[in-house]
Amino acid sequence: MTTETTATIQVYRVWIKASPERIWAAITDPEWTTRYGYAAPVEYDLRPGGAYRSTATQEMKDFAKANGFDVPEIIVDGEVVEADPPRRLVQTWRMLMDPGTAAEPFTTLTYEIEEAKMQPGVHKLTVTHEVTGAPRTAEMVAGTEDSGAGGGWAWILSDLKTLLETGKGFGER
């Protein structure tokens, strides 16, 4: 996996031995999203102007309560800008589970799925997160040690790749 980071645009790439349709489903289908990354279910209305949201898991709620804070039911929200299954998804994105990120403007998240020219059956997933004007969000999704948010996009995409290639995400036995 390669990573490119600037103050306003973060780009993450991972090559996955899976079809574009499986990768697309893993990004947009809650049955998949509960099996990798932070395991939060997603809801997409995959048309321009359609709603996007991700909801808190019981594990997230329990962790928050044990540590003296609350997590809202909807932890990330946004709107679909463009959907071209199974190749491209552009959406707005705002993290609501942290007051600092919730106060920032919506950011733009783009998923692009392309055939890897070097190997049949392998596809490149590029995630571009435009975080202009959202420094706390940029820090959290980059997975910096100071963010307190875990591994960010690099960790999520590594887990997604593992799930699609092995049938099990990091947290599954």
Side-chain angles (χ1 to χ4, degrees):
M1 177 184 309
T2 60
T3 303
E4 300 167 16
T5 305
T6 68
T8 59
I9 298 176
Q10 298 178 10
V11 179
Y12 302 89
R13 288 184 190 90
V14 62
W15 285 260
I16 305 172
K17 190 171 185 174
S19 71
E21 293 80 11
R22 285 193 63 208
I23 297 168
W24 180 270
I27 294 166
T28 62
D29 184 336
E31 302 251 342
W32 280 98
T33 63
T34 58
R35 296 183 60 200
Y36 70 91
Y38 298 98
V42 299
E43 295 174 21
Y44 275 102
D45 179 356
L46 289 170
R47 61 181 175 78
Y52 160 76
R53 67 185 207 163
S54 181
T55 55
T57 64
Q58 190 59 50
E59 184 178 88
M60 289 175 189
K61 293 175 187 176
D62 293 345
F63 176 83
K65 185 175 183 179
N67 288 281
F69 63 94
D70 291 321
V71 170
E73 185 63 31
I74 298 172
I75 57 172
V76 183
D77 71 348
E79 183 177 291
V80 174
V81 175
E82 177 186 342
D84 181 15
R87 301 288 178 200
R88 182 174 165 86
L89 174 62
V90 181
Q91 66 181 86
T92 61
W93 195 93
R94 176 181 59 171
M95 185 181 295
L96 300 170
M97 61 191 295
D98 173 83
T101 59
E104 292 181 336
F106 282 92
T107 59
T108 302
L109 183 62
T110 302
Y111 296 91
E112 294 178 295
I113 303 166
E114 303 170 88
E115 185 174 358
K117 294 174 177 63
M118 63 194 150
Q119 184 71 42
V122 174
H123 290 83
K124 177 174 66 172
L125 172 59
T126 302
V127 174
T128 304
H129 201 155
E130 297 177 38
V131 290
T132 303
R136 179 73 179 138
T137 298
E139 181 181 353
M140 290 187 91
V141 300
T144 60
E145 290 184 21
D146 295 335
S147 73
W153 281 118
W155 185 77
I156 292 168
L157 295 176
S158 294
D159 198 11
L160 169 63
K161 173 183 172 64
T162 299
L163 172 61
L164 288 172
E165 292 181 348
T166 71
K168 294 184 180 181
F170 292 160
E172 296 179 318
R173 295 180 183 248

